[in-house]
Amino acid sequence: MTVIHTEVAIIGAGLVGSSAALALRRAGVPVVLIERGLCGARASGVNFGGVRRQGRSIEQLHLAQRAHTIWARLPELLGTDGEYIRSGHLKLARSEADLEKLIAYRDKVRDFDLGLEILDGATLRRLFPALSPSIVGGSLCPEDGQANPRLVAPAFAQAAVRAGARLLEHCAVTQIEPVGNGYLITAEDGRRIQAERVVNAAGAWGAVIARHFDEEIPLQIKYPTMLVTEPLTPQISVSLGVEGGGFYARQVARGNVVMGGGYGFAIPGDRSRPGPGALVELGRTAPTIIPALGHAQVIRCWSGIEGYFSDKNPVIGFSAKAPQVIHAFGFSGGGFQISPAVGEVVAEMLTGTGTLMMAERFAVDRWAAK
C-alpha cells in the first residue's frame, strides 16, 4: 500500500485537531488529518455545547479570550455559524457561601474584562423568573454563550479539507515508529502515513497514542451524561451552570432544554452509555433549578467519552521524549470553547510563529516535576 507523505500528521479530527489543521493549511503547511471514526463524532460533537469563559482558571482564560474572537468569526472561517449565539452564561449560587465564591472569582479575573455581573436573589428572579426562588444569586457573563456541537465540530474538519488538508476517516492508528527525521504511522486497515511532525489530538485516546512515544500520561476517562427534553415554552435564555458543578442546562431556539451532570459508563466498541444514577440525580436536581423541568418529558439521553486530568487542565505542548511531536488532549469536559484557540496555538508552535502562555501549567511532564 502506498505511503502518504506529509509535513504534519494530526491524530484526531475533533475540534482541536481540525482547528489545528485549518490553521496550518492557512499557513501553507501540508497536513493529513487522521480520525479513528468520523470527524467530530466523539466528545467534540456530543458535548453539552456551552461556550463559556466564566469559571475557567487563569491559564485557560488566556486561551478562552482568544477563542472568544474566533467564535464570532465562524461564518467567515467555516461557512456556518454552528447555531452559536452569545446568549450569556449564568452561574448560580445555591447558598451564601457559593455566592461569596462567585464574587471572589469575579475579583480574581477582573483583568480579563469578562464583564461579570453579580446578581442578588431579587435581581435574579426579576431577570429570570423561571428559576427556583431557592436560588440565592448568580454571576452573569453576558457575552458567553452556546452552540450546536453536532454542527461546529465537523464544520472545522470540512473547512480544513476545503483549505487543502487531507482527511482520513475510519483510520485507527495502531503503530507509530520513528523513520528518518519523522514518523511512520500505520493504521488498522494498513494505511500508512509518513510525517515530519505529529500532533496528538486524540482526545480520550490521547494517552494511548502517547504510549507510542514511550510517554505515560495520567489521563482518566469519564463518560459525561446528558439529556434533552421535549420543546418547552421559553424558560431560560442563558446557558446555566452552578457553583460547585454537577448540573448545567441551556434552552435552544426550538424550545428543547439540553442538560447534563454526572457520568455514565463504557460499553464494548469504544462507546458509552448514560449513567442511571446520573439520570436519576438530574431528575432530582433540575426542578430545584427550573421548576418547570419537573414536568418535562425527556426525549433522548446520551453520553460521551472524555479525558480528564486531576488539575482539570489539558496537556498542550511538545512531547518530553519525542522530537517534533505535540500533545493536545485531556480537556476535562471543558474543551469546546477553547479548542479553536488551542488549534491555532498548536499550529503556531509547530511553525515557530507563536507560543502558549503559562505553558508550564499544560506541560506533558508536569506531574513528574512534583
Side-chain angles (χ1 to χ4, degrees):
M1 187 174 289
T2 303
V3 177
I4 300 169
H5 292 267
T6 188
E7 186 170 332
V8 178
I10 300 176
I11 302 173
L15 266 176
V16 172
S18 295
S19 60
L22 178 59
L24 285 167
R25 285 305 305 140
R26 288 165 67 92
V29 178
V31 176
V32 172
L33 189 55
I34 304 168
E35 170 55 46
R36 61 185 290 117
L38 294 170
C39 59
R42 296 290 182 169
S44 291
V46 301
N47 64 82
F48 167 64
V51 185
R52 65 167 179 84
R53 296 166 295 164
Q54 177 169 218
R56 294 187 182 276
S57 60
I58 295 293
E59 56 269 25
Q60 287 195 23
L61 278 175
H62 292 289
L63 290 164
Q65 289 293 72
R66 178 168 179 168
H68 189 61
T69 64
I70 299 172
W71 280 95
R73 297 169 49 225
L74 288 192
E76 168 196 339
L77 289 172
L78 311 180
T80 177
D81 65 5
E83 296 181 3
Y84 168 62
I85 56 171
R86 289 186 172 176
S87 60
H89 176 264
L90 178 62
K91 197 166 190 179
L92 300 173
R94 291 175 287 186
S95 68
E96 291 295 340
D98 284 348
L99 188 58
E100 288 300 318
K101 290 177 181 177
L102 294 179
I103 293 171
Y105 179 80
R106 178 201 60 186
D107 296 342
K108 180 181 178 182
V109 302
R110 196 178 298 277
D111 289 346
F112 287 90
D113 195 26
L114 301 184
L116 297 180
E117 303 171 12
I118 299 298
L119 309 177
D120 60 22
T123 303
L124 199 67
R125 282 181 280 280
R126 176 173 57 82
L127 295 176
F128 307 103
L131 290 175
S132 168
S134 66
I135 303 298
V136 171
S139 174
L140 177 64
C141 188
E143 289 197 355
D144 280 357
Q146 55 188 286
N148 187 338
R150 292 183 176 276
L151 299 178
V152 174
F156 265 96
Q158 292 305 318
V161 170
R162 289 194 300 272
R166 182 167 182 178
L167 173 64
L168 305 179
E169 294 183 305
H170 299 296
C171 189
V173 171
T174 57
Q175 185 176 355
I176 305 174
E177 53 190 326
V179 174
N181 294 324
Y183 298 91
L184 179 64
I185 301 167
T186 303
E188 192 174 56
D189 61 6
R191 280 181 285 183
R192 295 185 296 168
I193 304 95
Q194 188 167 339
E196 297 175 24
R197 291 171 288 177
V198 176
V199 175
N200 173 13
W205 294 268
V208 175
I209 296 299
R211 291 189 192 108
H212 290 283
F213 306 106
D214 296 322
E215 289 181 291
E216 287 293 332
I217 301 176
L219 186 71
Q220 304 170 35
I221 307 302
K222 297 183 183 181
Y223 312 93
T225 290
M226 287 154 282
L227 60 82
V228 62
T229 73
E230 63 184 327
L232 305 176
T233 57
Q235 299 295 317
I236 195 76
S237 59
V238 294
S239 180
L240 288 178
V242 295
E243 174 59 33
F247 178 82
Y248 39 91
R250 64 187 182 94
Q251 188 170 26
V252 302
R254 294 173 293 278
N256 310 78
V257 176
V258 183
M259 69 183 92
Y263 300 98
F265 56 92
I267 61 174
D270 285 330
R271 296 177 296 158
S272 61
R273 287 289 180 267
L279 292 172
V280 169
E281 189 59 31
L282 277 171
R284 290 173 179 160
T285 302
T288 70
I289 305 295
I290 302 175
L293 294 178
H295 307 286
Q297 295 293 314
V298 174
I299 61 174
R300 186 168 67 90
C301 59
W302 69 95
S303 181
I305 305 176
E306 178 67 281
Y308 290 74
F309 286 116
S310 56
D311 60 8
K312 297 185 179 180
N313 277 334
V315 159
I316 307 171
F318 284 97
S319 164
K321 294 188 175 182
Q324 310 293 15
V325 174
I326 285 184
H327 298 296
F329 63 88
F331 288 82
S332 306
F336 190 55
Q337 192 271 347
I338 64 174
S339 288
V342 173
E344 288 193 354
V345 168
V346 166
E348 291 170 357
M349 293 169 70
L350 283 171
T351 57
T353 58
T355 58
L356 174 65
M357 294 191 68
M358 302 183 73
E360 70 281 358
R361 302 296 294 271
F362 305 101
V364 67
D365 58 352
R366 63 185 184 266
W367 296 276
K370 292 182 179 179

